[in-house]
């Protein structure tokens, strides 16, 4: 008998369970159908809904048994249970009947009809008849902002929403009001839900109370949409998503469970930002400059030919992009040659990315996944606020901070799944979360200590922590080292500065040397920052320098708005010298607007592609949107141009796989991406089907235009089947679950996918990482040091184009401490001109009482603004009252 | 030693007379037990004595107090704060015994708290009083101030080295606050939602620290048990009961009221003797022996003694020991409907069966009462008594609500049927 | 929610009292109910703006404090009259005729449970058992407990309460 497993007798069948599991988890893992509402794998159990009742027998002689809640009962070996027991089954039926007394039964017009956990559970208990014959109570709905529509009458009172929003995600503008059957879940007053995780309510709610608002405007039933596994393009965490479409139109994004990364949740930038692919700012057609000027439409073949023409000059430089896939960047690099390929990022970003690579690859510092972060027993955040840069990582860090220590649980004999009791145990004995940043962060509310220090002092602090770890001395004012030393799996999160990153890596190394399983988490700016960095290309400034010195080259820019990358002066000062500018992009940008050749290519959802997240995890996303007028992926255009120009032979990169092979041959760091090619079958029947088998009107969808049934779309690059024929694999490739009783997003709780984990390019080894030399600190800059503030809504280029996200973007601000503001005669809300380098931008003053003196934070990524040389020294000029702001 | 009283709990309470201040209380031998015990008797010895006495919780659950106390880990084993909490929420309909004790002899209560907290090695005690008990709150606060001034509360009480402070928390009203774990949530400033057990409050109570919650009447017994011993306490009861109990009778009787009587007094004795029998023209049909959460005893079972065991044997519970009389001029369906209206409204809204099931029960009963009931309603009601019963809901509120319904369906089935068949209520 | 009334912001005395409560409370949250009651004592009910102010003083989210305020029976989130009549509607009072008293109140001053008289003098609210069953029917009017209530008791109150 396997000692690591528990054996339970459920209705005379022996099932196995993991120690620490509840009866509910054990039954679901054993694929038994046991309904539930209030339980959620990430939220734990509270025993409120009473839906998961089972009969528990006290030994073999007990024939009466006792009804218990499976979610609140720890699984123990030898336990005898029954799900089918008639009295228990009847009770489960009644619970459904109870919660339906106030439910409107509006399934036909409900947004989650067909993928509703309440429907599923009703079907599971085989409940058919409702006897309640009195008036239902009704509620008024609230306006909850651009992301979520409120339909309170559908509420069945499971409390999951408030447990997620408030307890799990730390949101404070949502709650439960009233008592008895008059409980109400919403805000104190109508208004936009402020948490950037609000969108998860759509999936956390077992029925249709919280509705995806943008999706509702282009609604289709779940069974009528194609579902494709994908990767969120909005930050370097690389959350796993599922993209859904119908009739060639993007419909919505839902979470795709990945235990290591996003688990069951996404941030709202990921969920709602992808609407950018429907934005009016999409580059819909390619254009070319002719005698009349730029902007004359040109078909793709002609555009490709024009590109080939340029390639033939042999005087081409290529500028890659951290928002383009590895494939696109690789293709451009292969075409223009490594010597002419540049990473289209600022010097600062390039420095950070290069340092991250040094830490990951050369020093082999073990990296923390968000899941590691959630489980860590001490966290130190150095330099930057992860809340805006890597929201899902911040959500994980919050879980660590809100978790009681294991001693606190042990002393009370409370299992971690007992959510309310566990949370109470954290009172007075929180898990350490130490934040050392120049400005306040949105994790401060759950931190045990916050230090507000300027960047230079941060470096000193990091070095001091390392020294303290090596030579503990009683005089340790911050006690950070002592806290880290007491932990068994601490996580250090660092970002914003390459020297600080090195120092943080050295802390991890020192802890590792002491036998403490510390891990590092590095904040990187964009979805494929690390992937682009692995090509080892010099930054944008090097490209500009090259242009300045050589004969005027033809420049090909890949999916990049260079105006966001550097100041206008240097860019224009250089670009007027070039022979021509060609841009491949899926959106209109100031860069495409000035291009001689602007080629409309597919977005991440129109093409297969690979990105490398901040952990060094390479992940594949697949073409998710199929329509007859699809824009080609960048690498197709580049390949065709390369062939036409004679740079590639006619058979080169005929498939995605061949491109990956070519890339791997050139860039050894990316060789592991080959393993990402999942098993595929020529036999379409053996592929995961992206269309559900209830997909309706397949043959009639285009009937208005053409009664002939179109052939199914094909995508030779993808392991997924384009039609409804195929498999439903239990893996991250599973496009959707369609199974009796399990049709909601909750189904992944019963069918936990062995989520496609991607490939770790720098797998963690057990050996001690290498210590890194620290650079000499730069001389202090004169005046105020301005640091960039990246905001979850507003700083990311693509998501800003999504209508709903755009409406959440706050005005640009300059954050200063009140004392510094006073010296400059500024108060909150004052409009000021901020000059950094040669650029002046307008900001409103926001006071941050905790902010380190002499430091200011400047929101970046503001639409229409050039890239700012940040960090940098800042000059503030107050605007005179009369001036327009 | 003074002759032990035979009505210890109410010995200082006299109808019409003012309540005792600290001087009067001490003249009547008050705080004797505290003076004799603090610093002189080991805390564990008091716990042992209380266990020996057989004292059972008077808040309605009837759990043996000594056993409950023994489940709290010792201060050596579990360092850190520990709390002793008094449950003075008293909102169970038909129950009016704790108010009598709080208003009538507040110092007895304070003395009980000092001894209990000392026994449990707790240095902080909260009295959770329902907000409507304005007079009781006032008197408790005065009594605490008096006791503090007399050195009976505060630091190093009577030189014993023991510290204790007592805080009065006035509730903001909800029956569920009486449920001990909901009460703890209310004290912490949360919505008063019950907590899952385990962990029991003894292990993880107020702010996750070891906590004991006891009812007012339970605690008022402690000074006497400590002073006169467990054997004396046990001897006060009759018919197999232990100690005394504050029983009460309300409804259409001649002298409704609360009476301290030997535990085990019969219901008939209480109603006919102490409450003066039924008002002229009214006949007794049935009794809820111990508040709204207990089941009916029909008129022919009044000779049972009022102990937890006998009540259980007769298909109901002792509850709070305050009986509500159903007379022949009152519609039993209306009576039960009123009880269900109470429970439906006071459901905290946490668990689905109680939150959504009780309002349904209430509506069915009101519909039957209004003459619009249908035959299937009786099956539905019967079904509810099981599916809202013990173990099904999160706490004992809904099962308590089902007690009167379940026994009512049995004893008044003819009335139920007649309402439905004649589509009218004979009593209105 | 038709009645919209605004109240002046918390005055310094109220703020000081709330801060005192905070000082004596183990956590800010634990002072929440007392703070609400304290303010309600002076203002009869807790208006939205006042709730927000109290929440800020306590350092609790507004939604959280409102969740607490709306849970309990004795915190009024809507305007109430000068005298709040809490008429027990639990079992013994029901047996002994509280429904007749409610009808009497409606006849005399025209309010049903949950309503406030147009002159602003009275609000009638049902309340659970007041622990005064031996003197049923019972009611509380502005913190004063009345037992053996009959129409005459009510009439005396209606006749002697001045206009606000
Ligand atoms: C819904 C409900 C309401 C209760 N109300 C009260 C109450 O008002 N007063 C009380 O002392 N106990 C009440 N109890 C019982 C308490 O939960 C708890 O058992 C009691 O306070 C323990 O004290 P004791 O052991 O001294 O009786 C209630 C229980 C439930 C389930
Ligand atoms: S039974 Fe459930 S809803 Fe009812 S009071 Fe108890 S916990 Fe709350
Ligand atoms: S899932 Fe077990 S009670 Fe809700």
């Amino acid at each position: 008998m396997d000692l690591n497993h528990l054996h339970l007798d459920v209705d005379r069948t022996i099932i196995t369970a993991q120690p620490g599991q509840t009866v509910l988890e054990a039954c679901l893992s054993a694929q038994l159908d046991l309904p539930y509402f209030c339980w959620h794998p990430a939220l734990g159990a509270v025993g409120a809904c009473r839906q998961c009742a089972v009969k528990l027998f006290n030994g073999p002689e007990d024939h009466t048994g006792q009804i218990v809640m499976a979610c609140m009962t720890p699984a123990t070996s030898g336990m005898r249970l029954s799900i089918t027991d008639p009295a228990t089954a009847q009770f489960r039926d009644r619970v459904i009947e109870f919660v339906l007394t106030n439910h409107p039964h509006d399934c036909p017009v409900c947004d989650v009809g067909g993928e509703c956990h309440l429907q599923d559970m009703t079907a599971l208990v085989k409940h058919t008849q409702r006897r309640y014959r009195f008036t239902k109570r009704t509620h008024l709905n609230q306006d909850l902002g651009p992301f979520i529509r409120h339909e309170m009458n559908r509420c069945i009172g499971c409390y999951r929403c408030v447990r997620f929003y408030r307890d799990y995600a730390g949101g404070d503008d949502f709650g439960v009001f009233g008592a008895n059957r008059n409980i109400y879940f919403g805000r104190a007053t109508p208004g936009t839900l402020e948490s950037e995780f609000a969108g998860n309510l759509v999936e956390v709610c077992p029925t249709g109370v919280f509705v995806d608002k943008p999706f509702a405007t282009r609604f289709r039933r779940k069974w009528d949409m194609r579902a494709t596994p994908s990767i969120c393009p909005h930050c370097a965490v690389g959350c796993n998503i599922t993209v859904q479409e119908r009739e060639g139109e993007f419909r919505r994004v839902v979470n795709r469970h990945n235990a290591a990364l996003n688990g069951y949740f996404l941030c709202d930038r990921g969920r709602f930002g992808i609407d950018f692919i429907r934005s009016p700012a999409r580059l819909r057609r390619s254009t070319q400059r002719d005698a009349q000027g730029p902007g004359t439409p040109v078909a793709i073949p002609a555009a490709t030919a024009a590109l080939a023409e340029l390639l033939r000059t042999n005087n081409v430089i290529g500028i890659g992009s951290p928002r383009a896939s590895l494939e696109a960047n690789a293709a451009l690099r292969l075409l223009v040659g490594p010597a002419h390929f540049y990473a289209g990022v600022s010097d600062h970003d390039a420095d950070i990315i290069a340092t991250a690579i040094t830490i990951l690859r050369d020093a082999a510092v073990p990296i923390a996944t968000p899941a590691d972060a959630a489980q860590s027993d001490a966290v130190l955040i150095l330099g930057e606020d992860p809340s805006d840069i890597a929201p899902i990582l911040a959500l994980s860090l919050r879980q660590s901070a809100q978790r009681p220590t294991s001693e606190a649980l042990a002393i009370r004999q409370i299992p971690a799944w007992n959510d309310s009791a566990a949370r109470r145990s954290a009172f007075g004995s929180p898990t350490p979360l130490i934040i050392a940043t120049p400005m306040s962060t949105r994790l401060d509310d759950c931190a045990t200590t916050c230090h507000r220090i300027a960047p230079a002092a941060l470096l000193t602090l990091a070095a001091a922590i390392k020294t303290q770890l090596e030579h503990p001395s009683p005089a340790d004012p911050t006690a950070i080292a002592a806290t880290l030393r007491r932990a068994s799996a601490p996580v250090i999160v660092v970002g914003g500065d390459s020297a600080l990153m090195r120092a943080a890596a050295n802390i991890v190394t020192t802890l590792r040397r002491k036998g403490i399983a510390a891990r590092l988490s590095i904040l990187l700016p964009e979805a494929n920052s690390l992937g682009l960095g692995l090509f080892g290309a010099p930054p944008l400034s090097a490209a500009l320098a090259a242009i300045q010195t050589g004969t005027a080259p033809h420049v090909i820019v890949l999916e990049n708005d260079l105006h966001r990358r550097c100041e206008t002066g240097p860019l224009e000062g250089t670009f007027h010298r070039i022979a021509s500018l060609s841009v491949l992009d899926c959106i209109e940008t100031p860069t495409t607007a000035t291009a001689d050749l602007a080629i409309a290519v597919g977005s991440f959802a129109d093409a297969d592609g690979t990105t490398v997240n901040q952990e060094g995890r390479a992940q594949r996303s697949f073409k998710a949107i199929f329509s007859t007028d699809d824009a080609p992926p960048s690498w197709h255009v580049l390949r065709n141009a390369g062939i036409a120009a004679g740079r590639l032979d006619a058979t080169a990169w005929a498939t995605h796989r061949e491109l990956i092979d070519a890339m791997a041959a050139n860039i050894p760091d990316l060789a592991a991406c080959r393993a990402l090619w999942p098993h595929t079958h020529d036999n379409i029947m053996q592929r995961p089907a992206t269309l559900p088998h209830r997909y309706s009107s397949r043959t009639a969808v285009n009937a208005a235009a053409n009664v002939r049934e179109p052939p199914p779309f094909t995508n030779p690059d993808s392991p997924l089947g384009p039609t409804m024929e195929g498999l439903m694999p239990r893996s991250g490739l599973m496009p959707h679950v369609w199974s009796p009783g399990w049709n909601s997003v909750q189904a992944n709780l019963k069918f936990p996918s062995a989520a496609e984990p991607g490939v770790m390019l720098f797998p963690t080894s057990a050996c001690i990482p290498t210590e890194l030399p620290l650079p000499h600190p730069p001389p202090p800059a004169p005046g105020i040091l301005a640091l960039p503030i990246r905001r979850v809504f507003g700083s990311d280029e693509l998501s800003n184009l999504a209508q709903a996200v755009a409406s959440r973007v706050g005005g640009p601000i300059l954050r200063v401490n009140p004392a510094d503001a006073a010296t400059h005669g500024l108060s909150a809300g004052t409009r000021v001109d901020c000059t950094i380098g040669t650029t002046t931008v307008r900001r409103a003053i926001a006071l941050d009482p905790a902010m380190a003196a002499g430091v200011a934070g400047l929101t970046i990524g503001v639409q229409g603004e050039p890239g700012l040389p940040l960090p940098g020294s800042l000059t503030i000029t107050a605007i005179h009252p009369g001036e327009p702001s | 030693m003074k002759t032990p009283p035979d009505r210890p709990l109410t010995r200082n309470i006299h109808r019409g007379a003012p309540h005792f201040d600290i001087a009067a209380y001490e003249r009547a031998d008050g705080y004797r037990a505290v003076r004799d015990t603090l610093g002189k008797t080991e805390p564990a010895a008091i716990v042992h004595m209380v266990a020996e006495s057989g004292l059972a919780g008077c808040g309605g659950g009837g759990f043996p107090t000594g056993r409950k106390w023994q489940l709290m880990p010792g201060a050596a084993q579990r360092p850190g704060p520990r709390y002793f909490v008094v449950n003075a929420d008293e909102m169970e309909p038909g129950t009016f015994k704790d108010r009598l004790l709080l208003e009538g002899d507040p110092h007895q209560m304070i003395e009980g708290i000092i001894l209990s907290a000392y026994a449990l090695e707790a240095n902080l005690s909260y009295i959770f009083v329902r907000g409507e008990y304005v007079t009781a709150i006032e008197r408790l606060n005065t009594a605490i101030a008096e006791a503090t001034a007399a050195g009976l509360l505060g630091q190093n009480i009577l030189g014993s080295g023991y510290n204790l402070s007592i805080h009065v928390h006035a509730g903001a009203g909800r029956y569920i606050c009486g449920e001990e774990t909901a009460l703890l949530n209310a004290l912490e400033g949360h919505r008063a939602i019950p907590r899952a057990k385990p962990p029991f409050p003894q292990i993880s109570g107020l702010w996750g620290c070891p906590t004991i919650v006891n009812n007012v009447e339970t605690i008022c017994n402690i000074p006497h048990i400590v002073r006169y011993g467990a054997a004396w306490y046990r001897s006060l009861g009759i018919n197999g009961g232990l100690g005394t109990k504050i029983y009460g009778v309300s409804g259409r009787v001649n002298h409704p009221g609360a009476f301290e009587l030997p535990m085990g007094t019969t219901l008939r004795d209480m109603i006919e003797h102490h409450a003066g029998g039924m008002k002229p023209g009214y006949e007794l049909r049935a009794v809820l022996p111990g508040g709204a959460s207990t089941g009916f005893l029909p008129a022919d079972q009044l000779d049972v003694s009022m102990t937890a065991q006998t009540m259980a044997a007769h298909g109901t519970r002792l509850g709070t020991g305050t009986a509500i009389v159903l007379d022949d001029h009152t519609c039993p369906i209306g009576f039960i409907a009123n009880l269900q209206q109470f429970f439906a409204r006071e459901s905290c809204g946490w668990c689905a069966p109680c939150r959504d099931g009780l309002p349904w029960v209430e509506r069915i009963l009101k519909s039957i009462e209004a003459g619009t009931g249908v035959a299937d309603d009786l099956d539905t009601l019967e079904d509810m008594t099981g599916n809202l019963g013990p173990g099904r809901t999160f706490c004992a509120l809904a099962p308590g609500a089902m007690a009167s319904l379940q026994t009512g369906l049995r004893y008044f089935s003819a009335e139920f049927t007649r309402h439905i068949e004649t589509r009218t209520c004979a009593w209105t | 929610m038709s009645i919209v009334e605004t109240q002046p912001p918390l005055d310094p005395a109220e703020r000081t009292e709330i801060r005192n409560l905070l000082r004596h409370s183990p956590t800010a949250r634990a002072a929440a109910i007392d703070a609400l009651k304290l303010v309600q004592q002076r203002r009869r009910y807790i208006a939205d703006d006042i709730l927000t102010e109290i929440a800020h003083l306590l350092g609790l989210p507004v939604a959280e404090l409102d969740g607490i305020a709306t849970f309990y029976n004795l915190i009024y989130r809507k305007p109430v009259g000068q005298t709040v009549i809490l008429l027990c509607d639990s079992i013994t009072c029901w047996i002994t005729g509280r429904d007749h008293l409610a009808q009497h109140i409606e006849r005399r001053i025209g309010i049903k449970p949950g309503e406030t008289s147009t002159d602003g003098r009275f609000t009638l609210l049902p309340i659970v058992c007041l622990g005064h069953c031996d003197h049923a029917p019972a009611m509380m009017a502005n913190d004063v407990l009345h037992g053996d209530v009959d129409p005459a008791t009510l009439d005396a109150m209606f006749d002697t309460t001045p206009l606000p």
Side-chain angles (χ1 to χ4, degrees), chain A residues 41-52:
Chain A
L43 303 180
V46 290
C49 72
R50 318 307 278 175
Q51 185 63 73
C52 64

Side-chain angles (χ1 to χ4, degrees), chain A residues 235 285 440 509 552 584 608 614 715 717 721 734 749 770 773 778 780 799:
Chain A
C235 86
R285 50 160 114 172
S440 52
T509 303
L584 290 76
D608 290 36
Q614 60 190 20
N715 179 15
D717 293 332
M734 176 165 64
L749 313 186
T770 318
S799 60

Side-chain angles (χ1 to χ4, degrees), chain A residues 483-508:
Chain A
T483 307
L484 294 176
R485 213 179 311 110
R486 271 195 302 274
S488 59
V491 167
I492 322 289
V493 182
V494 67
D497 178 74
S498 62
L500 190 62
M501 286 160 64
R502 286 166 172 267
N506 286 347
I507 294 177
V508 171

Side-chain angles (χ1 to χ4, degrees), chain B residues 57-59 68 87 89-90 175 178-180 213-215 218 396:
Chain B
C58 306
K68 187 188 227 175
N87 188 342
D89 192 55
E90 193 164 71
Y175 171 61
E179 200 284 339
E180 58 181 0
V213 183
N214 272 127
N215 170 257
T218 315

Side-chain angles (χ1 to χ4, degrees), chain A residues 46-50 66-69 72 87-88 90-92 94-95 97-102 129-135 137 156-159 163 166 176-185 408 411-414 418 420-421 424-425 427-428, chain B residues 77-79 174 185 188 191 193 195-199 203-209 344-360 363-365 367-368 372-374 376-377 379-380 383-384 386-388 391-395:
Chain A
V46 290
C49 72
R50 318 307 278 175
Q66 187 193 351
I67 286 187
V68 297
M69 295 309 125
M72 294 297 279
T88 317
Q90 191 208 45
F91 175 63
R92 289 195 303 265
R94 293 304 184 263
V95 172
E97 195 173 8
F98 289 143
V99 298
L100 291 182
T101 55
N102 290 314
Q129 194 207 350
R130 280 168 293 287
R131 297 167 292 170
Y132 184 72
R133 58 185 175 86
F134 305 98
T135 315
R137 68 104 179 78
I156 58 160
C158 71
Y159 287 83
R163 291 179 55 226
R166 198 178 55 190
V176 50
F177 306 93
N180 56 44
R181 81 199 290 239
N182 294 316
I183 47 173
Y184 188 92
F185 298 87
I411 198 172
R412 296 170 178 83
Q413 297 150 30
I414 294 169
N418 186 343
S420 313
R424 197 155 40 247
S425 311
F427 184 83
Chain B
Q77 209 184 324
R78 185 74 191 274
R174 273 245 164 242
N185 275 338
E188 288 182 14
R191 294 159 59 85
I193 305 292
R195 298 174 175 181
K197 291 175 270 192
I203 311 292
S204 180
L206 205 51
W207 292 295
C209 298
R345 194 174 64 200
E346 292 305 312
S347 165
C348 76
W350 175 245
C351 77
C354 170
R355 178 189 62 231
D356 296 330
L358 289 178
W360 186 4
R363 279 164 181 70
I364 293 177
L365 287 165
S367 162
I368 295 176
T372 57
V374 296
D376 286 351
D377 283 346
D379 294 337
T380 311
D383 183 333
M384 298 279 194
N387 284 316
L388 292 175
R392 309 300 210 261
T393 53
F394 193 80
C395 82

